[in-house]
């Protein structure tokens, strides 16, 4: 019996019963399909909102090991007189006692970041200028404190160049790959806000080429952001979601020149100015004999894997593993996936980790590149990709076979 016939024969008890049964079956099928789609969408949403794979989390984990807190000390000598002696001199024309000399220790806090594996740091000139001939202490992200010395600086750009007094390799922010600084892009301020180390604030790039005057100091060609910049952030990096340098946090305008309070007006020295200034600082340091050769940084190029599969990689250091909550000492971090590439088609996402290439376990970009040295276009390569959490929790691994393009 057709549905149309059953609808026409609604006066028949048998037809009405059959129609009702068919409608119940259809409703159940529709509800089941909706439930399936809801569960699938929820699972997809859950997978996409894993905090460890958020671009901001990955960017912070990438740059944070290179950010340092700077504590400076300078002893200032001052000459003071007894106020009663001043009154005595007014009446009798001379002082009873000689002026006393006191010594006062001035301290300041700021931020900076390492730009070279040898331990060279760029920060604001106003953070370290008073300690140019005295004590500078630098605290790294791992909690270790080092002595540092002032090399040179520029009052006009408010930038300074200092170096950690230690013979070791340091993580650093690469000035050869800076942000394009596009209006509206997401930016993050990293630094020692009001003494709280490793503080992060987030906003957008609001404007470029700003000229401002703060506390009778004139700044030119700054970038503007609504990300919070607080005392202690000065000298710290402002980065984009790829971990590239946007600028150096420099000033916050709390009030207009007319005394009107403001919100969300922070300013930073743009990355291109920082890069050019550092190149000049290196020349000055070389003339002074203070520039030492830098140790060669660890190989981090992922040219071949990017060409074949559309994946960009980064070595997964201990600090980066801890920041992401991943197991230490294993795998290579995927930092970017090219759209419509073999990796993208296979569902590989930024923030995942490559643990094995064919039959070889990998723990560095160099090992991945070595494993792919003989791979040609059209060849299939097996990968073990996913995330192994610290403390043995939430292992998510998949075996994928990708065809080189």
């Amino acid at each position: 019996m057709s549905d149309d016939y059953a609808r026409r024969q609604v006066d028949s008890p048998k037809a009405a019963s059959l129609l009702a049964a068919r409608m119940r079956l259809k409703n159940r099928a529709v509800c089941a399909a909706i439930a399936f789609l809801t569960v699938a969408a929820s699972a997809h949403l859950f997978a996409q909102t894993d905090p460890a794979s958020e671009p901001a989390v990955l960017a912070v984990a990438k740059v944070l090991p290179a950010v340092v807190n700077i504590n400076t000390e300078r002893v200032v000598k001052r000459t003071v007189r007894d106020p009663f002696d001043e009154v005595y001199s007014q009446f009798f024309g001379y002082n009873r006692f000689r002026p006393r000399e006191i010594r006062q220790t001035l301290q300041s806090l700021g931020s900076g970041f390492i730009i070279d594996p040898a331990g060279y740091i760029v920060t604001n000139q106003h953070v370290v200028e008073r300690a140019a001939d005295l004590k500078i202490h630098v605290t790294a992200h791992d909690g270790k404190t080092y002595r540092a010395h002032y090399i040179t600086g520029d009052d006009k750009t408010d930038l300074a160049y200092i170096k950690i007094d230690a013979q070791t390799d340091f993580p650093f922010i690469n000035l050869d790959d800076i942000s394009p600084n596009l209006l509206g892009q997401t930016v993050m301020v990293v630094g020692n806000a009001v003494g709280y180390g490793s503080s992060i604030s987030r906003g957008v790039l609001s404007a470029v080429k700003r000229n401002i005057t703060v506390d009778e100091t004139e700044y030119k060609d700054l970038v503007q952001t609504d990300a919070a910049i607080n005392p202690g952030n000065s000298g710290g990096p402002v980065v984009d979601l790829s971990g590239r340098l946007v600028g150096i946090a420099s000033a916050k305008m709390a009030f207009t020149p007319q005394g009107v309070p403001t919100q969300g007006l922070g300013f930073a020295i743009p990355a291109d100015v920082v890069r050019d200034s550092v190149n000049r600082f290196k020349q000055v340091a070389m003339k002074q004999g203070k520039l030492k050769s830098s140790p060669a940084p660890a190989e981090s190029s992922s040219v071949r894997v990017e060409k074949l599969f559309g994946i960009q990689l980064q070595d997964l250091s201990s600090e980066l593993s801890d920041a992401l909550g991943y197991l230490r000492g294993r795998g290579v971090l995927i930092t970017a996936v090219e759209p419509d590439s073999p990796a993208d088609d296979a569902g590989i996402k930024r923030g995942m980790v490559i643990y094995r290439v064919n039959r070889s376990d990998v723990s560095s970009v160099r090992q991945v590149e070595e494993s792919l040295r003989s791979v040609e276009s059209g060849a299939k390569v097996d990968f073990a990709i996913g995330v192994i959490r610290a403390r043995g929790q939430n292992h998510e691994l998949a075996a994928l076979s990708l065809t080189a393009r």
Side-chain angles (χ1 to χ4, degrees), residues 149-164:
H149 66 273
Y150 180 93
I151 296 177
T152 187
D154 183 5
D155 291 328
K156 185 176 180 180
T157 59
D158 193 26
L159 292 172
Y161 198 47
I162 66 176
K163 187 186 183 303
I164 296 174

Side-chain angles (χ1 to χ4, degrees), residues 37 44 53 115 136 186 210 212 245-247 287 304 342 346 396:
L37 293 174
H44 177 72
S53 63
I115 58 168
I136 304 177
T186 299
R210 291 297 199 210
I212 65 169
L245 186 68
V246 172
K287 292 179 181 178
R304 189 154 186 77
E396 302 171 5

Side-chain angles (χ1 to χ4, degrees), residues 394-405:
N394 300 331
H395 289 189
E396 302 171 5
L397 285 178
L400 299 176
S401 181
L402 302 183
T403 302
R405 59 186 177 182

Side-chain angles (χ1 to χ4, degrees), residues 128 224 250 266 273 356:
V128 295
Q224 177 185 328
S250 185
V273 174
R356 186 180 300 112

